[in-house]
Amino acid sequence: MRYVINRFGFFVLSLWAAITINFILPRLMPGNPADAMFAKFQGQLTPAAIDAMKKAYGIGQSNLWQQYMDYLHGLFTFNWGLSFMQYPTPVSDIIKSSVPWTLGLVGISTLISVFLGTTLGVYISWKRKGLLDNTLPIVSMIFQAMPYFWMALLFVFIFGFKLEWFPLSHGYDPSLTPGWNGSFLYSMLSHAFLPGLTLLLGSLSGWIVGMRNNMINTLGEDYVTFAEAKGVRTSRLMFSYAARNAILPQLTSFAIAIGNVVSGSILTEQVFSYPGIGNQLTSAVTSQDFPMIQASFLLIAISVLVANLIVDLLYSRLDPRIRTGGLSHEG
């Protein structure tokens, strides 16, 4: 119980720090967002127009503490300001329309990569020095060594441009109306296949090699040898005894991967012009859309913190040493 309370306390403290840093950093920049936005229109807008925009964005209307209070109120009421590049669209609306695409693409690709890589790592560690053990890690490392954007461009050129098997860009056919129907779902899946395959191949090696190494170390433990000597069946020995403990280090990597789902793979989304949060963040940086940048970074930070909290709680359930260690410490 004390371990869980400590984890929640650390989460709240880290969340407050991330929120506060996200508030302070943009205000340390010279000038203000309104000036940066209208610098390219110098001479075309009157001072009154700029002052009106500052008032609309709440810039320079109060002291720093009041701005911080307004920032917190807007944060918890999902009033994250207006986008510069898509004015007057609220930032929250842009994020709501972008996050589902990233969660669907990067989230599903990550889950498939974790499940497939972990399962293959367990299998090849059990069948050491077999054909798969000698070839699969090397082949998967070749794909991981390739930059995401280069692999994405290669897939676009071969399967999209040359063979015309898959669409080149966007998340679905613009001529279709989004909805839960066969045509739209097929279009959405066909547009997501190439970017999803890019993400899958780029991350698969780490899960395979990591789980293989963890399993080899675990299989050498005395309790596994003892269970094998007792005649425990192979499937139970592989998964209940070895894999259950070998998978614990993978959880840390899984937390980082899940936390990074929200940010998406920025370069991959940009290559495929996929309408996810990563592509929106790239456009926001290019356009100096400070409200969108601020909201995106905060969303990424929160997702990482939440993912780490979940994994910490899972650790307390899967690893009895954490519970017993906490109890002995209390005593």
Side-chain angles (χ1 to χ4, degrees), residues 2 21 30 79 108 110 113 163 168 170 172 174-176 187 228-230 241 251 258 267 269 287-288 291 311:
R2 183 176 180 179
I21 292 173
N79 181 16
I108 293 176
T110 300
S113 179
L163 300 177
L168 296 175
H170 204 55
Y172 60 93
S175 64
L176 298 177
S187 177
E228 187 176 11
K230 286 180 61 178
Y241 283 78
L251 288 177
I258 291 297
L267 292 177
E269 288 189 3
S287 306
Q288 294 185 326
V311 170

Side-chain angles (χ1 to χ4, degrees), residues 8-288:
F8 271 105
F10 179 77
F11 169 77
V12 172
L13 180 62
S14 301
L15 181 61
W16 171 80
I19 291 173
T20 303
I21 292 173
N22 195 54
F23 167 79
I24 293 175
L25 285 180
R27 286 160 177 80
L28 295 178
M29 300 176 64
N32 59 58
D35 291 338
M37 177 184 180
F38 290 108
K40 53 188 173 183
F41 300 114
Q42 189 70 32
Q44 301 179 22
L45 294 173
T46 64
I50 295 180
D51 290 339
M53 284 301 301
K54 288 182 180 180
K55 185 176 181 180
Y57 286 101
I59 299 171
Q61 301 299 314
S62 56
N63 58 43
L64 189 63
W65 176 252
Q66 185 60 46
Q67 290 180 37
Y68 184 59
M69 291 294 101
D70 293 340
Y71 167 77
L72 293 178
H73 180 267
L75 181 67
F76 291 108
T77 57
F78 296 98
N79 181 16
W80 297 348
L82 304 177
S83 170
F84 287 176
M85 64 179 178
Q86 300 183 38
Y87 180 82
T89 306
V91 170
S92 57
D93 289 350
I94 299 176
I95 290 179
K96 287 176 185 178
S97 63
S98 302
V99 167
W101 291 99
T102 295
L103 291 179
L105 174 65
V106 188
I108 293 176
S109 299
T110 300
L111 291 176
I112 293 175
S113 179
V114 172
F115 177 78
L116 185 60
T118 301
T119 303
L120 290 174
V122 171
Y123 180 78
I124 65 176
S125 66
W126 193 263
K127 303 287 185 179
R128 288 196 299 276
K129 302 190 184 301
L131 178 62
L132 284 179
D133 187 35
N134 291 328
T135 58
L136 191 58
I138 297 175
V139 173
S140 62
M141 283 182 182
I142 293 174
F143 285 104
Q144 187 168 10
M146 298 179 184
Y148 275 110
F149 70 91
W150 189 87
M151 192 188 307
L153 289 172
L154 186 65
F155 285 168
V156 167
F157 178 75
I158 295 176
F159 300 108
F161 181 72
K162 284 292 186 182
L163 300 177
E164 298 183 354
W165 288 355
F166 298 97
L168 296 175
S169 62
H170 204 55
Y172 60 93
D173 188 345
S175 64
L176 298 177
T177 302
W180 295 104
N181 54 75
S183 300
F184 177 75
L185 293 177
Y186 175 79
S187 177
M188 184 176 63
L189 291 175
S190 62
H191 280 77
F193 183 82
L194 287 182
L197 182 63
T198 302
L199 297 172
L200 175 63
L201 294 178
S203 61
L204 189 61
S205 175
W207 301 109
I208 294 176
V209 176
M211 191 62 189
R212 176 188 180 277
N213 294 338
N214 294 338
M215 277 289 292
I216 290 175
N217 292 332
T218 305
L219 289 173
E221 296 289 340
D222 293 339
Y223 69 90
V224 177
T225 304
F226 181 72
E228 187 176 11
K230 286 180 61 178
V232 175
R233 65 180 184 272
T234 301
S235 60
R236 186 182 178 191
L237 185 66
M238 184 188 305
F239 293 103
S240 298
Y241 283 78
R244 180 179 179 181
N245 293 285
I247 203 173
L248 291 176
Q250 294 280 89
L251 288 177
T252 303
S253 300
F254 181 65
I256 297 174
I258 291 297
N260 290 333
V261 163
V262 175
S263 63
S265 182
I266 296 176
L267 292 177
T268 301
E269 288 189 3
Q270 192 172 14
V271 169
F272 290 96
S273 297
Y274 202 78
I277 192 68
N279 197 23
Q280 292 288 356
L281 179 57
T282 304
S283 301
V285 171
T286 304
S287 306
Q288 294 185 326

